Amino acid sequence: MTKRITALVMSFMMLISLFSLTGCGSQENTDSAESSEASVASETSETSGDSTTAETSVEPVTIKFSSTFQESETGGVIIQHFIDRVGELSNGAIDVNVSWGGTLFTSADELDAVIDGSVNMVAMGHMPHLNTLPYLAFPAFAPGGTQSALDYFQTLIFDDPETSALIQGEATDLGIKYLNVIAGGANAFCAKYEFTDLDSLLQGSTAFGNMDAAIFESLGFQVTSIFPPDVYDALNRGLIDSTQMALSPMIAMSWYEPAEYWALDGTYTAGNFFTVNLDWWEGLSAAQQEVIQAAATETQAYTAELYDAAIAEDIAKVETATEIAFVEFSDADINRLWAAVFEAKAGSALELAETSGKTEGMITILEKAGEITNYDWQH
Protein backbone atom coordinates (compact mmCIF):
# COMPACT_ATOMS: atom_id res chain seq x y z
CA MET A 1 0.00 0.00 0.00
CA THR A 2 1.07 3.57 -0.52
CA LYS A 3 1.39 5.86 2.47
CA ARG A 4 -1.91 7.51 1.60
CA ILE A 5 -3.80 4.23 1.39
CA THR A 6 -2.34 3.11 4.72
CA ALA A 7 -3.53 6.34 6.33
CA LEU A 8 -7.00 5.92 4.85
CA VAL A 9 -7.29 2.35 6.10
CA MET A 10 -6.42 3.43 9.64
CA SER A 11 -8.84 6.35 9.38
CA PHE A 12 -11.62 3.99 8.29
CA MET A 13 -10.97 1.73 11.28
CA MET A 14 -11.73 4.63 13.58
CA LEU A 15 -14.65 5.69 11.37
CA ILE A 16 -16.53 2.54 12.38
CA SER A 17 -17.25 4.46 15.60
CA LEU A 18 -16.93 7.94 14.04
CA PHE A 19 -13.67 8.30 13.21
CA SER A 20 -10.00 8.49 12.82
CA LEU A 21 -6.48 8.73 13.94
CA THR A 22 -3.92 9.37 11.46
CA GLY A 23 2.90 10.41 11.22
CA CYS A 24 8.30 10.22 11.27
CA GLY A 25 11.49 8.74 12.27
CA SER A 26 13.00 5.40 13.07
CA GLN A 27 15.52 4.00 15.47
CA GLU A 28 18.08 1.33 14.73
CA ASN A 29 18.01 -1.81 16.89
CA THR A 30 20.96 -1.57 19.23
CA ASP A 31 20.35 -4.73 21.31
CA SER A 32 22.85 -3.52 23.88
CA ALA A 33 24.62 -6.16 25.94
CA GLU A 34 26.03 -3.63 28.38
CA SER A 35 25.52 -4.52 32.02
CA SER A 36 26.51 -1.15 33.46
CA GLU A 37 23.82 1.24 34.62
CA ALA A 38 23.25 4.70 33.15
CA SER A 39 22.63 7.64 35.47
CA VAL A 40 19.60 9.74 34.50
CA ALA A 41 17.52 12.66 35.71
CA SER A 42 14.06 11.11 35.31
CA GLU A 43 10.97 13.28 35.05
CA THR A 44 7.62 11.93 36.20
CA SER A 45 4.84 13.97 34.56
CA GLU A 46 1.19 13.79 35.57
CA THR A 47 -1.60 14.58 33.12
CA SER A 48 -2.37 17.69 35.18
CA GLY A 49 0.96 19.11 34.07
CA ASP A 50 2.71 18.81 37.45
CA SER A 51 6.17 17.24 37.35
CA THR A 52 8.99 16.28 39.67
CA THR A 53 12.61 15.51 38.96
CA ALA A 54 14.56 12.86 40.83
CA GLU A 55 17.96 11.24 40.35
CA THR A 56 17.68 7.55 39.59
CA SER A 57 19.49 4.95 37.53
CA VAL A 58 18.15 3.03 34.56
CA GLU A 59 19.47 -0.25 33.21
CA PRO A 60 19.62 -0.56 29.41
CA VAL A 61 16.65 -2.12 27.62
CA THR A 62 15.39 -2.15 24.04
CA ILE A 63 11.62 -1.86 23.48
CA LYS A 64 10.35 -3.94 20.57
CA PHE A 65 7.60 -1.74 19.09
CA SER A 66 5.29 -2.69 16.19
CA SER A 67 3.53 0.20 14.42
CA THR A 68 0.97 0.22 11.64
CA PHE A 69 1.89 3.84 10.93
CA GLN A 70 4.46 4.95 8.39
CA GLU A 71 7.22 7.17 9.77
CA SER A 72 5.91 10.20 7.83
CA GLU A 73 2.31 9.93 9.10
CA THR A 74 1.07 11.78 12.14
CA GLY A 75 1.06 8.54 14.12
CA GLY A 76 4.70 8.04 13.18
CA VAL A 77 5.61 11.54 14.35
CA ILE A 78 3.93 10.76 17.68
CA ILE A 79 5.84 7.51 18.12
CA GLN A 80 9.10 9.27 17.24
CA HIS A 81 8.38 11.85 19.95
CA PHE A 82 8.02 8.98 22.43
CA ILE A 83 11.29 7.44 21.20
CA ASP A 84 13.10 10.75 21.65
CA ARG A 85 11.72 11.32 25.15
CA VAL A 86 12.55 7.79 26.31
CA GLY A 87 16.10 8.29 25.12
CA GLU A 88 16.41 11.70 26.76
CA LEU A 89 14.89 10.66 30.10
CA SER A 90 17.10 7.56 30.31
CA ASN A 91 20.28 9.22 28.97
CA GLY A 92 20.21 6.69 26.15
CA ALA A 93 19.80 3.62 28.34
CA ILE A 94 16.38 2.81 26.86
CA ASP A 95 15.93 2.67 23.12
CA VAL A 96 13.07 1.63 20.84
CA ASN A 97 13.27 -0.74 17.88
CA VAL A 98 10.26 0.10 15.69
CA SER A 99 8.85 -1.93 12.81
CA TRP A 100 6.96 0.69 10.76
CA GLY A 101 4.00 0.52 8.40
CA GLY A 102 2.53 -2.78 9.56
CA THR A 103 5.53 -4.71 8.24
CA LEU A 104 5.63 -6.86 11.38
CA PHE A 105 1.94 -6.94 12.39
CA THR A 106 -1.17 -5.37 10.83
CA SER A 107 -3.84 -3.49 12.77
CA ALA A 108 -5.88 -6.70 12.87
CA ASP A 109 -2.98 -8.65 14.37
CA GLU A 110 -1.28 -6.15 16.68
CA LEU A 111 -3.45 -6.91 19.72
CA ASP A 112 -2.64 -10.62 19.58
CA ALA A 113 1.03 -9.75 19.02
CA VAL A 114 1.30 -7.69 22.21
CA ILE A 115 -0.82 -10.18 24.19
CA ASP A 116 1.43 -13.13 23.32
CA GLY A 117 4.62 -11.11 23.76
CA SER A 118 5.75 -11.18 20.15
CA VAL A 119 6.32 -7.44 20.66
CA ASN A 120 6.64 -5.37 23.84
CA MET A 121 4.53 -2.41 22.74
CA VAL A 122 2.07 -1.20 20.10
CA ALA A 123 0.11 2.00 19.49
CA MET A 124 -3.11 0.02 19.40
CA GLY A 125 -6.06 1.24 17.37
CA HIS A 126 -8.83 -0.23 19.50
CA MET A 127 -11.75 -0.11 17.06
CA PRO A 128 -10.95 -3.39 15.26
CA HIS A 129 -10.75 -5.18 18.62
CA LEU A 130 -14.00 -4.28 20.39
CA ASN A 131 -15.20 -7.88 20.44
CA THR A 132 -12.14 -8.68 22.55
CA LEU A 133 -12.13 -5.36 24.45
CA PRO A 134 -15.85 -4.48 24.76
CA TYR A 135 -15.29 -1.98 27.58
CA LEU A 136 -13.56 0.25 24.99
CA ALA A 137 -16.78 0.48 22.94
CA PHE A 138 -17.87 3.76 24.57
CA PRO A 139 -18.05 6.75 22.16
CA ALA A 140 -14.52 7.28 20.85
CA PHE A 141 -14.69 11.07 20.79
CA ALA A 142 -16.04 13.99 22.81
CA PRO A 143 -17.21 17.56 22.29
CA GLY A 144 -15.18 20.55 23.40
CA GLY A 145 -11.82 20.32 21.63
CA THR A 146 -8.72 18.16 21.30
CA GLN A 147 -7.76 18.41 24.96
CA SER A 148 -11.33 17.69 26.04
CA ALA A 149 -11.26 14.44 24.07
CA LEU A 150 -7.99 13.44 25.74
CA ASP A 151 -9.34 14.37 29.17
CA TYR A 152 -12.45 12.28 28.49
CA PHE A 153 -10.37 9.19 27.72
CA GLN A 154 -7.94 9.96 30.55
CA THR A 155 -10.76 10.03 33.08
CA LEU A 156 -12.44 6.86 31.87
CA ILE A 157 -9.30 4.75 31.47
CA PHE A 158 -6.92 6.07 34.11
CA ASP A 159 -8.43 8.44 36.65
CA ASP A 160 -11.97 7.42 37.61
CA PRO A 161 -11.75 4.56 40.15
CA GLU A 162 -14.77 2.65 38.85
CA THR A 163 -14.30 2.94 35.10
CA SER A 164 -10.52 2.53 35.16
CA ALA A 165 -10.87 -0.63 37.25
CA LEU A 166 -13.21 -2.06 34.62
CA ILE A 167 -11.23 -1.01 31.54
CA GLN A 168 -7.76 -1.71 32.89
CA GLY A 169 -9.03 -4.90 34.54
CA GLU A 170 -10.25 -6.13 31.16
CA ALA A 171 -6.78 -5.41 29.76
CA THR A 172 -5.05 -7.14 32.67
CA ASP A 173 -7.12 -10.26 32.10
CA LEU A 174 -5.68 -10.38 28.57
CA GLY A 175 -2.11 -9.73 29.74
CA ILE A 176 -1.77 -6.14 28.55
CA LYS A 177 -1.62 -2.64 30.04
CA TYR A 178 -2.50 0.80 28.63
CA LEU A 179 0.06 3.56 29.23
CA ASN A 180 -1.60 6.52 27.51
CA VAL A 181 -4.10 7.66 24.91
CA ILE A 182 -3.42 9.62 21.71
CA ALA A 183 -5.42 12.54 20.29
CA GLY A 184 -7.04 11.99 16.90
CA GLY A 185 -8.18 15.34 15.53
CA ALA A 186 -11.52 16.92 14.66
CA ASN A 187 -14.56 15.66 12.77
CA ALA A 188 -16.27 17.74 10.09
CA PHE A 189 -19.18 18.08 7.67
CA CYS A 190 -18.84 19.11 4.04
CA ALA A 191 -21.51 19.76 1.42
CA LYS A 192 -21.94 20.78 -2.21
CA TYR A 193 -24.45 23.47 -1.16
CA GLU A 194 -24.29 26.43 1.19
CA PHE A 195 -25.37 25.90 4.80
CA THR A 196 -25.16 28.05 7.91
CA ASP A 197 -26.13 25.66 10.70
CA LEU A 198 -27.21 22.07 11.34
CA ASP A 199 -30.80 22.69 10.22
CA SER A 200 -29.83 24.21 6.87
CA LEU A 201 -27.30 21.41 6.36
CA LEU A 202 -30.06 18.87 6.98
CA GLN A 203 -32.66 20.64 4.85
CA GLY A 204 -30.32 20.99 1.88
CA SER A 205 -29.28 17.35 1.82
CA THR A 206 -31.03 14.80 -0.38
CA ALA A 207 -28.34 12.11 -0.08
CA PHE A 208 -25.95 12.10 2.87
CA GLY A 209 -22.98 9.75 2.43
CA ASN A 210 -21.81 7.98 5.56
CA MET A 211 -21.13 4.55 7.01
CA ASP A 212 -22.73 5.36 10.38
CA ALA A 213 -26.42 5.53 9.50
CA ALA A 214 -27.73 5.23 13.08
CA ILE A 215 -26.37 8.63 14.06
CA PHE A 216 -27.40 10.63 11.04
CA GLU A 217 -30.76 9.01 10.36
CA SER A 218 -31.75 9.93 13.90
CA LEU A 219 -31.07 13.56 12.95
CA GLY A 220 -33.22 13.25 9.81
CA PHE A 221 -30.61 12.74 7.07
CA GLN A 222 -31.30 10.39 4.18
CA VAL A 223 -28.18 8.28 4.50
CA THR A 224 -26.42 6.49 1.65
CA SER A 225 -23.83 3.97 2.86
CA ILE A 226 -20.54 4.68 1.14
CA PHE A 227 -16.91 3.87 1.89
CA PRO A 228 -14.54 6.84 2.33
CA PRO A 229 -12.40 6.11 -0.77
CA ASP A 230 -15.57 6.36 -2.90
CA VAL A 231 -16.85 9.65 -1.45
CA TYR A 232 -14.92 12.02 -3.74
CA ASP A 233 -16.36 10.43 -6.87
CA ALA A 234 -19.84 10.24 -5.35
CA LEU A 235 -19.76 13.96 -4.49
CA ASN A 236 -18.36 14.80 -7.90
CA ARG A 237 -21.07 12.85 -9.70
CA GLY A 238 -23.90 14.10 -7.48
CA LEU A 239 -24.66 10.68 -6.02
CA ILE A 240 -24.40 12.31 -2.59
CA ASP A 241 -24.42 15.99 -1.73
CA SER A 242 -23.03 16.01 1.83
CA THR A 243 -21.01 13.85 4.20
CA GLN A 244 -19.17 13.76 7.51
CA MET A 245 -15.97 12.16 8.76
CA ALA A 246 -12.64 12.91 10.43
CA LEU A 247 -11.24 16.17 9.06
CA SER A 248 -7.69 14.99 8.34
CA PRO A 249 -8.51 12.19 5.86
CA MET A 250 -11.22 14.35 4.28
CA ILE A 251 -8.53 16.90 3.44
CA ALA A 252 -6.06 14.22 2.36
CA MET A 253 -8.64 12.94 -0.15
CA SER A 254 -9.39 16.51 -1.37
CA TRP A 255 -13.13 16.38 -0.74
CA TYR A 256 -13.12 20.20 -0.71
CA GLU A 257 -12.83 20.10 -4.51
CA PRO A 258 -16.36 18.76 -5.19
CA ALA A 259 -17.78 20.05 -1.85
CA GLU A 260 -16.89 23.65 -1.01
CA TYR A 261 -18.93 24.24 2.16
CA TRP A 262 -17.51 23.05 5.49
CA ALA A 263 -18.00 23.04 9.25
CA LEU A 264 -16.36 21.30 12.18
CA ASP A 265 -19.07 19.22 13.86
CA GLY A 266 -17.86 19.94 17.40
CA THR A 267 -16.55 16.45 18.22
CA TYR A 268 -12.93 15.37 18.55
CA THR A 269 -11.44 11.90 18.48
CA ALA A 270 -8.88 10.02 20.54
CA GLY A 271 -7.70 6.44 20.88
CA ASN A 272 -4.68 4.39 19.73
CA PHE A 273 -3.37 3.53 23.17
CA PHE A 274 0.29 2.83 23.82
CA THR A 275 -0.22 -0.76 24.98
CA VAL A 276 2.41 -3.02 26.52
CA ASN A 277 2.68 -6.72 27.27
CA LEU A 278 2.01 -7.02 30.99
CA ASP A 279 4.58 -9.73 31.76
CA TRP A 280 7.25 -7.72 29.99
CA TRP A 281 6.22 -4.56 31.83
CA GLU A 282 6.28 -6.23 35.24
CA GLY A 283 9.73 -7.62 34.44
CA LEU A 284 11.14 -4.09 34.11
CA SER A 285 12.76 -2.30 37.01
CA ALA A 286 10.86 0.49 38.78
CA ALA A 287 13.26 3.02 37.22
CA GLN A 288 12.67 1.67 33.71
CA GLN A 289 8.89 1.74 34.21
CA GLU A 290 9.09 5.30 35.53
CA VAL A 291 10.95 6.55 32.47
CA ILE A 292 8.73 4.76 29.95
CA GLN A 293 5.54 5.91 31.66
CA ALA A 294 6.81 9.50 31.90
CA ALA A 295 7.65 9.50 28.17
CA ALA A 296 4.21 8.03 27.33
CA THR A 297 2.44 10.64 29.48
CA GLU A 298 4.40 13.48 27.87
CA THR A 299 3.61 12.04 24.45
CA GLN A 300 -0.10 12.14 25.27
CA ALA A 301 0.13 15.85 26.03
CA TYR A 302 2.18 16.41 22.87
CA THR A 303 -0.55 14.90 20.68
CA ALA A 304 -2.99 17.64 21.68
CA GLU A 305 -0.57 20.32 20.49
CA LEU A 306 0.17 18.38 17.32
CA TYR A 307 -3.47 17.92 16.35
CA ASP A 308 -4.53 21.46 17.22
CA ALA A 309 -1.89 22.71 14.79
CA ALA A 310 -2.96 20.16 12.17
CA ILE A 311 -6.62 21.16 12.48
CA ALA A 312 -5.74 24.83 11.97
CA GLU A 313 -3.65 23.95 8.90
CA ASP A 314 -6.43 21.82 7.41
CA ILE A 315 -9.03 24.55 7.90
CA ALA A 316 -6.70 27.12 6.29
CA LYS A 317 -6.12 24.79 3.34
CA VAL A 318 -9.84 24.40 2.68
CA GLU A 319 -10.60 28.09 3.12
CA THR A 320 -7.76 29.04 0.78
CA ALA A 321 -8.85 26.55 -1.87
CA THR A 322 -12.57 27.37 -1.72
CA GLU A 323 -12.42 31.02 -0.60
CA ILE A 324 -15.29 30.12 1.76
CA ALA A 325 -15.00 30.28 5.55
CA PHE A 326 -15.84 27.32 7.77
CA VAL A 327 -19.27 27.51 9.39
CA GLU A 328 -19.20 27.63 13.19
CA PHE A 329 -21.98 25.56 14.74
CA SER A 330 -23.77 26.92 17.79
CA ASP A 331 -23.57 25.17 21.15
CA ALA A 332 -27.14 24.04 20.61
CA ASP A 333 -26.23 22.39 17.29
CA ILE A 334 -23.18 20.71 18.82
CA ASN A 335 -25.25 19.43 21.74
CA ARG A 336 -27.91 18.14 19.36
CA LEU A 337 -25.35 16.26 17.32
CA TRP A 338 -23.63 14.91 20.44
CA ALA A 339 -26.96 13.56 21.74
CA ALA A 340 -27.46 11.65 18.48
CA VAL A 341 -23.90 10.34 18.60
CA PHE A 342 -24.08 9.29 22.23
CA GLU A 343 -27.39 7.47 21.90
CA ALA A 344 -26.25 5.56 18.81
CA LYS A 345 -22.89 4.59 20.29
CA ALA A 346 -24.31 3.74 23.70
CA GLY A 347 -26.82 1.44 22.03
CA SER A 348 -24.17 -0.43 20.07
CA ALA A 349 -21.86 -0.59 23.11
CA LEU A 350 -24.59 -2.17 25.23
CA GLU A 351 -25.36 -4.74 22.54
CA LEU A 352 -21.70 -5.69 22.43
CA ALA A 353 -21.43 -5.79 26.21
CA GLU A 354 -24.47 -8.02 26.51
CA THR A 355 -22.87 -10.69 24.32
CA SER A 356 -19.78 -10.54 26.57
CA GLY A 357 -21.68 -10.62 29.87
CA LYS A 358 -20.43 -7.11 30.69
CA THR A 359 -23.65 -5.08 30.56
CA GLU A 360 -23.48 -3.78 34.13
CA GLY A 361 -19.89 -2.60 33.71
CA MET A 362 -20.69 -0.98 30.37
CA ILE A 363 -23.56 0.95 31.94
CA THR A 364 -21.14 2.27 34.57
CA ILE A 365 -18.72 3.41 31.86
CA LEU A 366 -21.45 5.03 29.75
CA GLU A 367 -22.89 6.84 32.76
CA LYS A 368 -19.48 8.33 33.49
CA ALA A 369 -18.99 9.15 29.78
CA GLY A 370 -22.29 11.04 29.82
CA GLU A 371 -21.32 12.87 32.98
CA ILE A 372 -17.95 13.95 31.55
CA THR A 373 -19.55 15.23 28.33
CA ASN A 374 -22.54 16.87 30.06
CA TYR A 375 -25.04 14.52 28.41
CA ASP A 376 -27.93 13.23 30.52
CA TRP A 377 -27.99 9.64 29.34
CA GLN A 378 -31.23 7.88 30.31
CA HIS A 379 -30.57 4.18 29.83
Side-chain angles (χ1 to χ4, degrees):
M1 287 187 178
T2 64
K3 292 182 179 181
R4 174 170 290 186
I5 293 298
T6 301
L8 299 185
V9 170
M10 290 302 301
S11 297
F12 179 63
M13 287 298 186
M14 288 297 285
L15 173 67
I16 298 301
S17 178
L18 203 88
F19 308 104
S20 91
L21 189 77
T22 29
C24 103
S26 65
Q27 176 108 1
E28 294 297 322
N29 181 9
T30 57
D31 288 328
S32 175
E34 298 178 7
S35 59
S36 61
E37 296 183 346
S39 177
V40 59
S42 176
E43 301 175 12
T44 303
S45 302
E46 302 297 334
T47 303
S48 63
D50 297 332
S51 65
T52 59
T53 302
E55 286 294 328
T56 187
S57 58
V58 182
E59 296 177 352
V61 66
T62 295
I63 302 171
K64 187 176 182 181
F65 198 127
S66 177
S67 174
T68 58
F69 296 111
Q70 300 286 356
E71 296 175 69
S72 58
E73 295 172 3
T74 305
V77 173
I78 290 167
I79 292 169
Q80 186 60 49
H81 180 85
F82 169 74
I83 292 170
D84 293 342
R85 291 304 292 143
V86 163
E88 291 164 3
L89 292 174
S90 68
N91 278 347
I94 300 177
D95 65 359
V96 185
N97 177 24
V98 183
S99 297
W100 297 102
T103 55
L104 197 57
F105 294 102
T106 67
S107 58
D109 299 326
E110 63 182 355
L111 176 58
D112 287 340
V114 74
I115 287 174
D116 66 25
S118 297
V119 293
N120 307 132
M121 184 182 296
V122 297
M124 186 188 71
H126 62 291
M127 289 303 165
H129 307 293
L130 296 183
N131 287 326
T132 305
L133 299 164
Y135 280 151
L136 294 180
F138 58 85
F141 33 87
T146 304
Q147 188 60 54
S148 292
L150 281 178
D151 292 345
Y152 165 77
F153 271 85
Q154 175 71 27
T155 300
L156 290 174
I157 297 173
F158 300 104
D159 295 343
D160 182 79
E162 288 188 297
T163 61
S164 64
L166 290 166
I167 295 169
Q168 294 282 11
E170 180 179 71
T172 297
D173 290 343
L174 291 171
I176 59 176
K177 176 183 175 65
Y178 308 127
L179 299 185
N180 71 356
V181 62
I182 297 171
N187 299 310
F189 287 102
C190 68
K192 293 172 66 70
Y193 53 88
E194 185 175 4
F195 64 91
T196 57
D197 54 18
L198 187 56
D199 278 334
S200 59
L201 176 66
L202 173 60
Q203 292 164 6
S205 178
T206 58
F208 183 84
N210 202 270
M211 291 299 294
D212 215 326
I215 295 171
F216 299 103
E217 286 179 349
S218 72
L219 290 167
F221 286 97
Q222 299 297 314
V223 180
T224 299
S225 293
I226 186 167
F227 289 104
D230 300 323
V231 167
Y232 183 101
D233 185 60
L235 286 167
N236 203 40
R237 295 169 58 192
L239 301 178
I240 60 172
D241 50 28
S242 55
T243 188
Q244 184 269 5
M245 204 175 77
L247 177 64
S248 178
M250 295 171 84
I251 304 306
M253 292 184 281
S254 303
W255 293 359
Y256 53 85
E257 292 176 352
E260 295 184 318
Y261 300 93
W262 288 70
L264 296 183
D265 74 6
T267 65
Y268 297 77
T269 64
N272 284 54
F273 313 105
F274 276 21
T275 304
V276 295
N277 176 274
L278 189 58
D279 287 341
W280 172 80
W281 178 258
E282 292 179 344
L284 298 174
S285 69
Q288 289 169 331
Q289 289 180 353
E290 183 180 7
V291 165
I292 294 168
Q293 181 61 72
T297 301
E298 290 185 20
T299 299
Q300 176 172 316
Y302 168 74
T303 66
E305 302 172 9
L306 186 67
Y307 273 98
D308 280 344
I311 292 166
E313 290 174 5
D314 284 340
I315 291 173
K317 184 172 185 177
V318 173
E319 292 183 338
T320 298
T322 64
E323 299 184 348
I324 300 170
F326 264 59
V327 170
E328 292 187 17
F329 280 171
S330 66
D331 289 343
D333 279 347
I334 292 171
N335 291 338
R336 182 177 158 197
L337 175 66
W338 179 240
V341 168
F342 199 102
E343 291 296 335
K345 294 308 172 185
S348 61
L350 286 173
E351 288 180 6
L352 186 62
E354 185 176 2
T355 64
S356 308
K358 295 182 175 181
T359 301
E360 185 176 348
M362 194 72 247
I363 290 172
T364 298
I365 293 169
L366 290 170
E367 286 177 337
K368 177 56 68 170
E371 178 185 324
I372 296 168
T373 59
N374 297 315
Y375 179 65
D376 185 16
W377 181 55
Q378 301 294 325
H379 66 86

